[in-house]
Amino acid sequence: MDKNLLIMSQMPKHFIDLADRHFNTHKLWMKDDEDKFIDKIKSNVDAIAVMGGYKITPELMKNMPNLKIIACYGVGYDAIDINCAKSLGIKVTNTPEVLNDEVADTAIALMLCVYKKLVTADNFARTNSWIHGDFPLTKKFTGTKLGVVGMGRIGKAIAERAEAFKCQVYYHSRNQKDVKYVYYNNLIDLAKEVDTLCIITPGGKETEKLINNEVLDALGKEGVLINVARGSVIDQETLIYYLENKLILAAGLDVYTNEPNIPKKLMSLDNTVLLPHIASGTVETRNAMGQLVFDNIKNYFEEKPLISAVA
Ligand code: NAP
Ligand code: 8YV
């Protein structure tokens, strides 16, 4: 196909190989001067493939008169200005479902790491500290109360896994869902009820700083916060204050407000487990996401229905 596909940043080989075979690809991250390169090809770009965190601004879209489709390599598309895309008639797709298991596995792994201090224990073993005495006792996760904030596709997958750990599951979202878990339409009440609050909503303006001092107060000194959604959903400065002052027990985080920068304070605390936004990051899942990005773009140009359109 002679369509021009602009790939904004490095993506898995599986996707790049497919894209190279079917489109005239332009790999932005390989160019020395990205702005100059965009300027050179902007009138020819038919499609964009983009990692979830990469900002697609109105300015960029308006600069590309032939742009028909933006395929996001991620389910969260908060970095793309959807309203602008709609107004310009540009289609936007994402990668739902194929990453549910992976992200839910990571959320549960974070909970286990936080409760059982597994990362600290690993460091204790590696540094031979055991010869000086046993590792301190930790806290049991099985049977605790879990509050899921955002009972969507991934939220459900997290809840199902938590059931295997005999957790009682509660949730908050704007609308009650057809699930067996207990619904709280008030987030503060949910935070008061549970031991662990796990955030898995979309990012963007609607959810910005949803987790604030009031929610953290309600979660309380024994409460654990897990975030596998977007950094923007939590008031990060406030969270650091609550962790530093032991106003909540601990946090397990995969996402941050200004990625890839993680505040030094978060790194220095012993009541955090920090991951570098890897919740969906296995070869299998990233290949499935890449396949979906490719299939959406291919379908568009073959005039077939899009598989996962969000605009
Ligand atoms: P989804 O199926 O659309 O579920 C999102 C849920 O959030 C829905 O149940 C929605 O229910 C709820 N929600 C939306 N706005 C809300 C608000 N203001 N307050 C409370 N609840 C709200 O999406 P998904 O596929 O599960 O993915 C969820 C998000 O996870 C993505 O958008 C992405 O940001 C994040 N994610 C992160 C990673 C990672 O690597 N860390 C990987 C994948 C996804 P209502 O509409 O009823 O409120
Ligand atoms: C991706 C994600 O790692 O799907 C999402 O929303 O956050 C992750 O799966 C991210 O989008 C990078 O492409």
Side-chain angles (χ1 to χ4, degrees):
M1 216 180 271
D2 59 350
K3 298 295 176 191
N4 286 297
L5 170 63
L6 175 62
I7 308 173
M8 305 306 274
S9 45
Q10 178 66 281
M11 285 170 56
K13 187 177 179 311
H14 176 75
F15 170 76
I16 300 289
D17 287 350
L18 278 171
D20 280 342
R21 279 205 300 277
H22 289 83
F23 303 111
N24 185 16
T25 54
H26 305 277
K27 299 172 180 116
L28 186 61
W29 76 96
M30 296 178 97
K31 307 297 168 192
D32 289 337
D33 187 335
E34 295 191 356
D35 290 339
K36 204 167 153 194
F37 182 70
I38 288 189
D39 220 41
K40 195 174 125 199
I41 61 157
K42 64 186 180 197
S43 20
N44 298 324
V45 174
D46 300 291
I48 285 179
V50 63
M51 298 281 283
Y54 196 105
K55 276 215 174 331
I56 301 290
T57 60
E59 193 195 356
L60 188 88
M61 291 183 233
K62 284 177 184 160
N63 248 333
M64 298 187 172
N66 271 324
L67 181 61
K68 311 283 187 320
I69 178 166
I70 301 168
C72 176
Y73 172 73
V75 67
Y77 51 89
D78 45 292
I80 301 172
D81 191 314
I82 285 289
N83 290 332
C84 177
K86 279 183 184 159
S87 74
L88 295 172
I90 298 169
K91 295 286 173 200
V92 179
T93 62
N94 68 344
T95 61
E97 304 289 358
V98 295
L99 41 56
N100 293 354
D101 285 337
E102 209 64 69
V103 180
D105 288 355
T106 305
I108 297 288
L110 267 176
M111 292 174 208
L112 289 169
C113 284
V114 168
Y115 273 80
K116 295 169 74 67
K117 293 190 186 286
L118 297 177
V119 179
T120 315
D122 174 273
N123 190 51
F124 184 89
R126 281 170 201 275
T127 53
N128 221 14
S129 304
W130 194 9
I131 59 168
H132 305 299
D134 287 343
F135 190 71
L137 300 183
T138 59
K139 193 173 166 67
K140 185 173 178 177
F141 172 64
T142 287
T144 52
K145 291 181 175 183
L146 171 65
V148 176
V149 182
M151 186 53 78
R153 292 169 291 236
I154 302 171
K156 281 183 200 136
I158 294 170
E160 284 161 12
R161 280 158 177 75
E163 282 186 77
F165 288 91
K166 301 176 189 159
C167 292
Q168 296 159 60
V169 181
Y170 306 76
Y171 74 100
H172 166 74
S173 45
R174 291 166 303 183
N175 309 293
Q176 187 163 2
K177 311 291 173 194
D178 185 18
V179 291
K180 61 184 166 183
Y181 314 115
V182 182
Y183 177 61
Y184 276 80
N185 69 359
N186 184 305
L187 176 54
I188 309 272
D189 290 343
L190 174 72
K192 277 184 192 152
E193 177 69 52
V194 300
D195 301 299
T196 310
L197 206 55
C198 178
I199 319 305
I200 187 65
T201 61
K205 278 272 164 279
E206 281 259 346
T207 53
E208 198 173 348
K209 297 189 179 171
L210 188 67
I211 307 302
N212 55 20
N213 59 323
E214 284 179 273
V215 177
L216 296 176
D217 278 336
L219 187 57
K221 288 188 173 168
E222 291 301 310
V224 169
L225 184 74
I226 302 293
N227 189 11
V228 282
R230 285 289 180 267
S232 59
V233 186
I234 294 182
D235 181 341
Q236 192 166 272
E237 278 308 306
T238 299
L239 173 63
I240 291 170
Y241 178 84
Y242 275 67
L243 287 164
E244 271 181 325
N245 293 286
K246 314 274 185 236
L247 299 174
I248 65 167
L249 188 68
L253 308 172
D254 184 46
V255 287
Y256 311 86
T257 47
N258 183 27
E259 295 175 6
N261 302 295
I262 301 178
K264 288 225 161 49
K265 276 186 192 165
L266 273 181
M267 295 183 194
S268 68
L269 290 167
D270 64 2
N271 53 355
T272 55
V273 174
L274 308 176
L275 303 180
H277 200 148
I278 48 118
S280 68
T282 62
V283 171
E284 293 84 350
T285 294
R286 291 289 172 87
N287 283 352
M289 291 162 65
Q291 185 70 48
L292 190 45
V293 169
F294 172 77
D295 290 341
N296 271 308
I297 302 172
K298 186 163 164 284
N299 276 15
Y300 181 86
F301 291 114
E302 288 178 352
E303 295 182 13
K304 291 180 186 159
L306 295 174
I307 303 160
S308 46
V310 291

